[in-house]
């Protein structure tokens, strides 16, 4: 019903304001093309009942009215051939979020070990066939120190001449990033990178790279990186 009311509101604007360009047989289609999700949008009446969809309409009982208001503005601008402002940004609410998860106290490594050092490495001079799995474990730190939203915790790099080129990262199905602590309250942690070599991977020399950020007891967060031994894929 919310969709019907929104379509009817847009249709009425197009028919009444277009000087005949749009007839009564116009068909309005609602299509979500922004790759976002804002939960359900229900009618005012359905919101009052608070069943599943109504209770999941996050912005209150007048959510649909707000959508209709803004879509009517867009439809009016379209039929009147007017520009719509595009510099309006949603408010940044990050600082107002409530966090119930305790913060990271600090991270540490054993004496003489640095963050990013390898705890369990790929065997020296090893060769792997496509379809098999290669892994390495690194001394790491809590991923919550920096989510690396513009980066990655895990990389598979391929040797190209004298340069290592990133080929796979932790948004690829073939590469998994697994973080763990030896005990619940330990400041030490490990990151294991597991790469199941795709059948279409190019033959060559590869290595695994782990990146992260550590938090000392006193001081600021520091970023680190570490790499495994090189290995061949045939």
């Amino acid at each position: 019903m919310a969709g019907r009311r929104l379509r009817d509101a847009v249709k009425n604007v197009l028919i009444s304001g277009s000087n005949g360009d749009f007839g009564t047989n116009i068909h309005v289609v609602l299509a979500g093309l922004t790759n976002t999700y804002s939960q359900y949008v229900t009618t005012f009446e359905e919101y009052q009942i608070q069943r599943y969809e109504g209770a999941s309409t996050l912005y209150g009982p007048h959510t649909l009215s707000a959508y209709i208001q803004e879509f009517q503005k867009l439809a009016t601008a379209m039929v009147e051939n007017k520009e719509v402002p595009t510099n309006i940004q949603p408010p940044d609410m990050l600082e107002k979020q409530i966090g119930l998860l305790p913060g990271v106290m600090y991270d540490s490594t054993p004496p003489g070990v640095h963050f990013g050092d390898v705890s369990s490495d790929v065997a020296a001079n090893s060769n792997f066939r496509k379809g098999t799995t290669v892994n390495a474990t690194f001394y790491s730190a809590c991923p919550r120190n920096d989510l690396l939203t513009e980066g990655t915790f895990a990389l598979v790099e391929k040797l190209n001449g004298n340069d290592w080129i990133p080929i796979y990262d932790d948004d690829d199905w073939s590469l998994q990033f697994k973080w763990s602590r030896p005990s619940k309250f330990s400041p030490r942690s490990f990151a294991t990178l597991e790469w199941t070599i795709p059948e279409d991977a190019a033959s060559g020399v590869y290595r695994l790279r782990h990146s992260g950020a550590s938090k000392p007891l006193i001081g600021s967060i520091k970023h680190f990186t570490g790499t495994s031994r090189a290995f061949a894929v045939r």
Side-chain angles (χ1 to χ4, degrees), residues 71-193:
F71 273 77
Q72 285 176 324
K73 290 180 181 178
L74 292 173
T76 299
M78 185 173 69
V79 297
E80 295 180 356
N81 197 27
K82 292 183 178 179
E83 291 189 3
V84 177
T86 59
N87 60 348
I88 300 175
Q89 297 294 323
D92 187 346
M93 307 294 287
L94 289 177
E95 298 299 326
K96 297 184 179 181
Q97 291 189 103
I98 298 175
L100 302 179
L101 189 65
V104 180
M105 293 299 294
Y106 71 100
D107 301 288
S108 71
T109 58
V113 175
H114 299 92
F115 291 105
D117 285 355
V118 180
S119 169
S120 177
D121 207 346
V122 181
N125 302 315
S126 55
N127 293 273
F128 293 88
R129 294 183 179 275
K130 297 170 186 178
T132 60
T133 299
V134 55
N135 60 71
T137 299
F138 301 82
Y139 289 96
S140 190
C142 183
R144 290 194 289 125
N145 292 325
D146 187 342
L147 300 181
L148 300 180
T149 52
E150 298 298 328
T152 181
F153 291 107
L155 276 176
V156 175
E157 299 177 323
K158 185 176 184 294
L159 185 62
N160 183 15
N162 295 321
D163 300 320
W164 289 97
I165 308 299
I167 302 297
Y168 301 93
D169 59 28
D170 56 10
D171 69 351
D172 288 290
W173 288 108
S174 63
L175 180 60
Q176 294 188 28
F177 164 72
K178 299 180 178 181
W179 179 79
S180 63
R181 285 193 188 279
S183 62
K184 184 176 181 180
F185 298 104
S186 173
R188 297 179 183 176
S189 63
F190 298 90
T192 298
L193 275 57

Side-chain angles (χ1 to χ4, degrees), residues 3-78:
R4 291 175 184 172
R5 293 181 182 179
L6 179 54
R7 286 196 299 266
D8 288 344
V10 172
K11 182 176 180 179
N12 290 335
V13 171
L14 295 178
I15 293 174
S16 62
S18 64
N19 296 320
D21 292 335
F22 295 103
T24 56
N25 62 341
I26 184 175
H27 183 64
V28 177
V29 177
L30 300 181
L33 303 177
T34 61
N35 199 29
T36 61
Y37 181 58
S38 62
Q39 289 286 348
Y40 287 92
V41 178
T42 58
T43 63
F44 178 85
E45 294 84 356
E46 188 177 3
Y47 185 89
Q48 310 307 312
I49 301 174
Q50 284 293 288
R51 290 173 182 161
Y52 182 84
E53 292 83 358
S56 297
T57 298
L58 300 184
Y59 300 102
H62 302 291
T63 298
L64 176 59
S65 297
Y67 272 85
I68 290 176
Q69 170 187 289
E70 296 306 307
F71 273 77
Q72 285 176 324
K73 290 180 181 178
L74 292 173
T76 299
M78 185 173 69

Side-chain angles (χ1 to χ4, degrees), residues 191-206:
T192 298
L193 275 57
E194 292 185 357
W195 182 41
T196 301
I197 305 170
E199 294 295 339
D200 60 353
S203 300
V205 177
Y206 291 83

